[in-house]
Amino acid sequence: MRDVGLHQPPLHPRAVLLGAQGATGFLPVCDHYSGVEARMKKSLQLQADMAEEFGACVFDVTLDCEDGAPAGAEVDQAHRVAGLANTGLAEAKVNPHKVPVRVGARLHPVEHAFFHSDADIVVGTAAAALAYVMVPKVDTVADVEAAIAAIDAAAAGKRLSLIPLHVLIESPAAVHQAFAIARHPRVESISFGLMDFVSAHGGAIPSSAMGVRAQGDNHTLDQFSHPLVLRAKLEIASACHAYGKVPSHCVVTEFRDTQALEQAARTAAHALGYTRMWSIHPDQIRPILKAFSPSEAEVELASTIVLAAQAQSWAPISLAGKLHDRASYRYFWQVLERAHQTGSTLPKEVRGYFAPEFSPAVPVAAELL
């Protein structure tokens, strides 16, 4: 009897291993926000430089129409953001050999007077250039639906795919709705708005909970130890993982304190389940990448297990006296995904998994190694 599968190319691990969990972790681990024109341009240049350095887009740039932008010139800012996004798209078309990068835009909240103006200008003129749109101060699924309606209307006829929505949860009421918001199919990522969340409690949470306590201080209630703040972070992370979405940790304002930032990023990644984190200063990007990167030993072990699994057509294997099957294969494949997203060095045997033709943007069902 002829073995019809004998000469078939092996399936890409994403096609075999990732089901409902597939979306989690597929975004760059750092999301860098910038709203002032000179800083936006520097951020985009740094993104391109680091993409070439690491061979992957290791951080997103979110061009900001809201809090990070000058007040009183909202329409001008929207045009500025759209123009910069389109410039990047034009450069990518001229230089298709360069590593693709990702640019998003943060609009005003859906109830803000300039939300629809933002959508019409930014999405209406730069829809094809946007990897996602961030909408802040989302409290309910109704807010999600309102944002989608405006964004889709502005993007109509301007791109082939729907624009993914990133949302920012910033209130106690929104935390209560985290699972319902994460369940929505257009929501790709949920971020936690720390400072607005603390402010929304009317002084019931101390200002120290907006920051990170100093090393050796075991008493101050900071953003990782105040019970209400910690609960909110865990609720958002849990909701995201329940529906295969990406939980994005809040900003650390102590951007000059590299040690505090690295500790915060490690805690977010290893203790709270976050797979992405905000940056508001270029100096924060590399520490975030470092904190979210797997170690060399983890990458080596993951490579060994995934390659051995593929050699056995993803059937169970025994390695060093331990049984592995698709449940553990999925975990170790995600280690390799995270290594790639953070610019870590991968063994040459697994680098082919991340060739451009096998980008996460390609539907997994069509991906072959």
Side-chain angles (χ1 to χ4, degrees), residues 44 80-93 129:
L44 292 170
R80 194 174 294 117
V81 164
L84 287 171
N86 279 331
T87 297
L89 178 62
E91 291 175 354
K93 290 179 178 179

Side-chain angles (χ1 to χ4, degrees), residues 123-199:
V123 180
T125 61
L130 297 174
Y132 55 91
V133 169
M134 160 61 78
V135 178
K137 295 178 174 59
V138 168
D139 284 339
T140 65
V141 173
D143 290 339
V144 173
E145 294 286 0
I148 289 171
I151 290 166
D152 287 354
K158 298 179 175 68
R159 57 184 282 155
L160 297 177
S161 59
L162 297 173
I163 301 176
L165 189 68
H166 294 193
V167 302
L168 184 56
I169 283 181
E170 305 181 65
S171 72
V175 171
H176 183 67
Q177 297 296 319
F179 280 81
I181 292 169
R183 187 185 301 122
H184 196 287
R186 284 290 292 281
V187 172
E188 182 177 53
S189 176
I190 298 179
S191 296
F192 177 52
L194 170 66
M195 289 178 281
D196 279 280
F197 179 81
V198 172
S199 299

Side-chain angles (χ1 to χ4, degrees), residues 270-305:
H270 299 293
L272 304 185
Y274 281 79
T275 57
R276 183 169 164 96
M277 184 170 175
W278 284 35
S279 160
I280 55 169
H281 190 279
D283 289 348
Q284 294 185 322
I285 294 170
R286 289 182 187 270
I288 290 172
L289 293 179
K290 180 181 177 182
F292 279 80
S293 298
S295 67
E296 289 185 16
E298 288 177 302
V299 172
E300 193 66 38
L301 177 61
S303 300
T304 298
I305 290 174

Side-chain angles (χ1 to χ4, degrees), residues 18 101 114 121 140 171 196 200 259 367:
L18 299 178
V101 294
F114 282 97
I121 296 169
T140 65
S171 72
D196 279 280
Q259 187 176 44
E367 290 178 356

Side-chain angles (χ1 to χ4, degrees), residues 8 34 44 57 66 117 120 146 158 173 177 202 248 252 254 272-273 310 314 327 341 352 354:
Q8 293 296 316
S34 185
L44 292 170
C57 180
E66 199 212 11
S117 173
D120 291 343
K158 298 179 175 68
Q177 297 296 319
S248 187
V252 170
E254 297 90 345
L272 304 185
Q310 187 176 64
W314 308 106
Q341 291 160 2
F354 301 99

